[in-house]
């Protein structure tokens, strides 16, 4: 049996199903948003995170051997990086963004008003009654969320990580080489989100220059960088839960800077303040570039 041909066939089958299922779901998400059912759309988007896992199974691959048993010995540093680095890097990136675009920083809770309406106004009034400022509320929420949110978000995130890290990336690395494979993997991950970027302005809104193409390209740059970090964590730990924690941590951290930004930052959303912006994402891009140079521009592969 030609194992290379069989591997290519399974990879093609995986990619076919992972895109077909997810893109159909994204059309459904768009329809829900169009009908004023945004909460249902967000729920379906969370369910969509399990599509890569499903696609692995449909393509005939096994989940065994992906490192389901946590390996803490020798990996405490890797775990701490996966858990807290996204929050730290996001905070640094947001600080850079707000230092440059200081008028975008809002400490009055406009974000809550815009997203929650009357419920947001009631929440702000309750904070005032307790003597807590909006900034203090965000700070307290951020600290507590950074402790438990990565663990909670890890559950849906592992649905993606099984497909991207557990199955697809090793195949791409073998087929194209580690450096080129990691770039291709990041692009595929970004393209997977393209319909919702175009349909509902996912991540960047819809008022920026070149919508939606520029948003799609910027998001691919972000997924390449994040993919480098997730893959490095997976290779080092040998456990699929570790990149899932990192993935869950960045998903949680990304919401914090947006809550401190004026709701109508418009075209600037391509720059930040969330870490998938070109400016606010600089800390992640820089760390990813350093990791890429040390791990993927050489033949060295660290394993637990």
């Amino acid at each position: 049996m030609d194992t290379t041909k069989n591997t290519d066939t399974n990879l093609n089958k995986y990619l076919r199903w992972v895109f077909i299922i997810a893109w159909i779901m994204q059309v459904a998400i768009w329809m829900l948003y169009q009908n004023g059912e945004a909460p249902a759309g967000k729920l379906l988007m969370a369910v969509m995170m399990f599509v890569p896992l499903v696609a692995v199974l449909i393509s005939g691959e096994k989940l065994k051997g992906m490192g389901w048993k946590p390996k803490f010995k020798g990996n405490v540093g890797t775990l701490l990086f996966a858990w807290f680095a996204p929050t730290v890097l996001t905070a640094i990136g947001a600080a850079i963004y707000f230092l440059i675009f200081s008028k975008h920083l809002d400490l009055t809770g406009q974000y809550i008003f815009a997203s929650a309406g009357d419920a947001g106004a009631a929440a702000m009034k309750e904070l005032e009654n307790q003597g807590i400022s909006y900034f203090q509320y965000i700070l307290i929420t951020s600290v507590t969320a950074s402790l438990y949110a990565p663990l909670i978000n890890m559950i849906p995130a592992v649905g993606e990580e099984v497909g991207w890290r557990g199955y697809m990336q090793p195949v791409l690395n073998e087929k194209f080489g580690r450096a080129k494979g990691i770039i291709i993997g990041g692009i595929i991950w970004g393209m997977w989100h393209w319909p919702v970027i175009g349909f509902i302005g996912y991540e960047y809104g819809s008022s920026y220059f070149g919508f939606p193409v520029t948003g799609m390209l910027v998001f691919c740059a972000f997924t390449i960088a994040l993919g480098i970090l997730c893959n490095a964590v997976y290779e080092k730990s040998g456990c699929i839960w570790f990149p899932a924690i990192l993935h869950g941590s960045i998903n949680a951290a990304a919401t914090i800077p947006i809550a401190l930004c004026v709701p109508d930052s418009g075209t600037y959303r391509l720059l930040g303040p969330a870490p998938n912006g070109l400016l606010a994402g600089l800390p992640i891009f820089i760390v990813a570039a350093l990791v890429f140079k040390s791990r993927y521009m050489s033949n060295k592969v660290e394993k637990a």
Side-chain angles (χ1 to χ4, degrees), residues 39-221:
K42 291 178 180 178
L43 178 60
L44 185 56
M45 199 173 300
V47 173
M48 190 183 76
M49 295 181 72
F50 290 96
V51 169
L53 185 154
V54 173
V56 170
L57 296 175
I58 293 175
S59 64
E61 296 297 322
K62 305 295 183 183
L63 303 182
K64 186 178 180 181
M66 292 187 182
W68 292 98
K69 184 178 180 180
K71 301 175 182 178
F72 297 110
K73 185 177 180 181
N75 288 315
V76 173
T78 303
L79 176 61
L80 291 175
F81 177 85
W83 201 301
F84 296 109
T87 300
V88 173
L89 296 176
T90 296
I92 295 172
I96 294 172
Y97 178 87
F98 287 126
L99 281 173
I100 296 175
F101 300 107
S102 57
K103 291 183 178 180
H104 291 181
L105 178 63
D106 173 67
L107 301 179
T108 65
Q110 290 185 47
Y111 173 81
I112 287 185
F113 293 132
S115 60
D118 293 340
M124 288 299 300
K125 186 65 177 178
E126 181 62 26
L127 288 177
E128 292 177 5
N129 293 337
Q130 296 179 27
I132 301 175
S133 69
Y134 182 67
F135 177 74
Q136 289 173 326
Y137 165 73
I138 292 296
L139 185 61
I140 293 170
T141 302
S142 302
V143 172
T144 55
S146 66
L147 297 177
Y148 65 80
L151 196 61
I152 296 174
N153 290 350
M154 172 188 71
I155 303 302
V158 79
E160 285 195 41
E161 293 306 310
V162 164
W164 308 137
R165 244 57 63 188
Y167 168 65
M168 183 186 73
Q169 198 58 60
V171 176
L172 292 177
N173 289 352
E174 182 177 348
K175 184 176 178 64
F176 298 104
R178 299 181 70 239
K180 188 180 293 185
I182 200 77
I183 301 298
I184 294 173
I187 293 172
I188 291 172
W189 188 14
M191 289 175 61
W192 190 68
H193 295 83
W194 277 7
V196 285
I197 292 176
F199 289 151
I200 65 172
Y202 176 71
E203 299 293 1
Y204 304 110
S206 58
S207 59
Y208 55 84
F209 174 78
F211 169 82
V213 175
T214 49
M216 293 173 175
L217 296 178
V218 170
F219 193 71
C220 278

